[in-house]
Amino acid sequence: MKTPTLPPSKLPEVGTTIFTTMSALASEHGALNVAQGFPDLSPPTNLKEAVKRAIDEGYNQYAPMAGDPGLRAWISEMYIQAHGAFYNADSEITIGAGASSLLFAAIQALVFPGDEVIIVDPAYDLYAPAVHLAGGVIARAALPQPPNLGGPGGAIDPEVIRNLMSDKTKLVIINAPHNPTGACFTSEGLNELADVLSESNCFLFSDEVYGPMNHDGRPFLSAAGHPGLKNRTLVFGSFGKLLHATGWKIGWVTAPEEITRELRKIHQYDVFSTGAPIQRGLAQYLITDDASKHLRELGPIYEKKRDRLLKGLEGTAFIFSPAEGGYFQILDYSKLDSRGDIEVAREWTIKHGIATIPISPFRKRGSQEAKAEKRLRICFAKGDSTIDEAIEKLRAIDMYYKSR
Ligand code: PMP
Ligand code: GLN
């Protein structure tokens, strides 16, 4: 019997994601997992009840392709309230299997072979492979160097983007609160970006899955709320992040009608629709006071957790500046170890019992920047006891190096 010969890989540079790799290594070695970004907090009890109720009430068949109408109505209202931005719930909002599926569908819908796509650097690992599959070419706009991230543009450096723009640039992808650095948007950054894009033919994706988790009084800014950006922008959100339920994989995208029409052509053949009872439960829960309170407190709760972690690391040789938003903290270990971040992250998991995420996989593979990385990402979306355990292990690592 003949077996088919494997064709060349469509993604020759891609292996298993660093998140899956580090979670597997953590479980193999019984290490504390502050690597992959997921909370160990429970979703709100009333939300869990609403989802269970939706199952009992019979919401067990396909949800509408664009998403549960009640949930889209809530998203529409949220953008009006939070950002003064109107999106038509029927024609400008689409729900998918996490923000991931919609980022992927939107890239396939808009990027053609030879198009250039500018992403910030470091960047979430999904964008580049999705662009490659569409035949697009990636250009990377470096963020200011660590540990003090965030120049005046915050999570965007508009000047660097301006210099990378060409006739071929089809799309710019920004992300804030930024994974992995925690940088946020600033009004200045968004204004300048609007200026840079104003004469171009370029779409903007704003990956805002960490939503309102802005710390130290920073405002909750969205590209949706910028009149100079909204008409060219697709904004991505994720209920997994907002409600401690990353495993439910329900996300959304807002986009002008004609773009929505195109991206739904892909979405309908890719996921079609997702998690009907979860969407219904979310729609029923989100309109309650309990949900408003949860969303209001989300940023402050994570800020406290960040502070707990950083206070615990005072006096160690780790270099850091507090994450501006989101639930990740970057630690620079260069005073302790001169080796690359992947090697160090692996060794600390196996030898010191703590799994973290190296930053180089968020950069271009094999680049100078990737090779020079001496930083690790810690997820602090954890119960206090997990954070305390992380502190204990990191302090022990600090002592270990100092006593050698
Ligand atoms: N964008 C960023 C920046 C992320 O960190 C994640 C995390 N998973 C996603 C998109 C994907 O979100 P989801 O889990 O809703 O697919
Ligand atoms: N977004 C999560 C993180 O940054 C991981 C999601 C995944 O594992 N694909 O850790």
Side-chain angles (χ1 to χ4, degrees):
M1 197 172 61
K2 210 174 162 191
T3 48
T5 336
L6 207 60
S9 173
K10 287 196 173 182
L11 294 171
E13 294 205 332
V14 170
T16 304
T17 77
I18 192 65
F19 312 114
T20 301
T21 304
M22 292 311 297
S23 274
L25 199 66
S27 92
E28 189 188 334
H29 294 277
L32 183 72
N33 188 353
V34 285
Q36 192 176 22
F38 60 86
D40 70 1
L41 316 169
S42 181
T45 304
N46 290 345
L47 170 60
K48 290 193 284 190
E49 291 304 323
V51 171
K52 287 183 222 167
R53 225 172 25 245
I55 292 175
D56 289 339
E57 284 169 1
Y59 288 89
N60 299 305
Q61 311 311 327
Y62 296 123
M65 181 270 274
D68 182 284
L71 191 53
R72 281 185 280 130
W74 180 84
I75 294 168
S76 175
E77 187 58 28
M78 185 275 284
Y79 278 98
I80 294 172
Q81 298 295 331
H83 306 295
F86 175 74
Y87 290 102
N88 184 308
D90 291 330
S91 56
E92 298 185 308
I93 296 173
T94 307
I95 291 166
S100 308
S101 77
L102 297 161
L103 279 158
F104 199 86
I107 287 170
Q108 303 315 311
L110 299 178
V111 177
F112 285 76
D115 285 347
E116 284 179 10
V117 177
I118 298 175
I119 62 176
V120 298
D121 186 59
Y124 186 54
D125 69 340
L126 176 153
Y127 314 142
V131 168
H132 287 149
L133 284 179
V137 180
I138 290 283
R140 290 176 178 261
L143 284 170
Q145 267 307 304
N148 289 314
L149 276 155
I156 318 167
D157 194 330
E159 255 339 281
V160 179
I161 293 176
R162 191 192 297 278
N163 292 334
L164 288 173
M165 296 273 295
S166 76
D167 291 349
K168 290 195 178 149
T169 310
K170 180 63 151 305
L171 170 65
V172 174
I173 305 180
I174 55 175
N175 163 223
H178 181 254
N179 183 6
T181 67
C184 284
F185 288 142
T186 62
S187 305
E188 204 172 333
L190 289 172
N191 285 342
E192 273 185 54
L193 182 65
D195 185 49
V196 170
L197 299 181
S198 63
E199 296 305 317
S200 77
N201 212 3
C202 196
F203 298 107
L204 179 68
F205 284 9
S206 190
D207 180 343
E208 301 177 6
V209 297
Y210 298 98
M213 302 174 201
N214 300 274
H215 307 323
D216 310 312
R218 289 182 178 83
F220 172 23
L221 296 174
S222 166
H226 196 292
L229 290 173
K230 182 170 179 279
N231 290 343
R232 65 171 77 243
T233 300
L234 292 77
V235 179
F236 298 83
S238 172
F239 290 109
K241 317 281 177 198
L242 300 185
L243 295 156
H244 313 318
T246 57
W248 289 3
K249 293 297 291 185
I250 310 282
W252 74 86
V253 59
T254 66
E257 185 168 348
E258 47 299 1
I259 301 177
T260 298
R261 205 177 302 125
E262 283 307 311
L263 78 84
R264 283 184 186 171
K265 288 183 190 174
I266 312 265
H267 165 74
Q268 70 183 347
Y269 292 131
D270 163 8
V271 231
F272 179 65
S273 76
T274 179
I278 303 182
Q279 291 194 46
R280 189 84 284 265
L282 281 165
Q284 285 174 336
Y285 169 74
L286 283 164
I287 53 173
T288 64
D289 291 344
D290 186 53
S292 311
K293 183 164 172 284
H294 172 92
L295 293 176
R296 241 189 347 266
E297 289 175 353
L298 193 63
I301 284 175
Y302 282 135
E303 184 180 318
K304 253 199 215 139
K305 292 187 178 298
R306 177 203 65 181
D307 290 346
R308 187 180 187 97
L309 173 69
L310 294 185
K311 188 156 186 342
L313 296 179
E314 274 172 13
T316 65
F318 292 110
I319 308 167
F320 49 80
S321 61
E324 296 178 355
Y327 55 51
F328 299 121
Q329 176 64 48
I330 296 242
L331 299 180
D332 177 326
Y333 62 79
S334 58
K335 285 191 177 163
L336 296 175
D337 198 317
S338 59
R339 291 174 302 160
D341 60 350
I342 295 183
E343 194 181 348
V344 167
R346 275 189 67 82
E347 187 179 290
W348 290 10
T349 307
I350 296 166
K351 193 161 152 185
H352 299 288
I354 181 165
T356 58
I357 294 286
I359 304 306
S360 55
F362 294 76
R363 295 194 178 274
K364 184 173 161 56
R365 198 186 173 86
S367 65
Q368 278 315 312
E369 290 81 3
K371 285 182 191 151
E373 271 298 354
K374 305 243 175 331
R375 298 182 300 164
L376 300 170
R377 190 195 78 178
I378 310 279
C379 175
F380 56 77
K382 304 292 178 190
D384 288 347
S385 61
T386 311
I387 294 178
D388 292 346
E389 207 183 322
I391 293 169
E392 207 177 291
K393 289 184 187 296
L394 290 164
R395 292 197 76 90
I397 288 171
D398 181 61
M399 289 297 292
Y400 166 81
Y401 279 94
K402 285 173 176 164
S403 66
R404 281 198 314 171

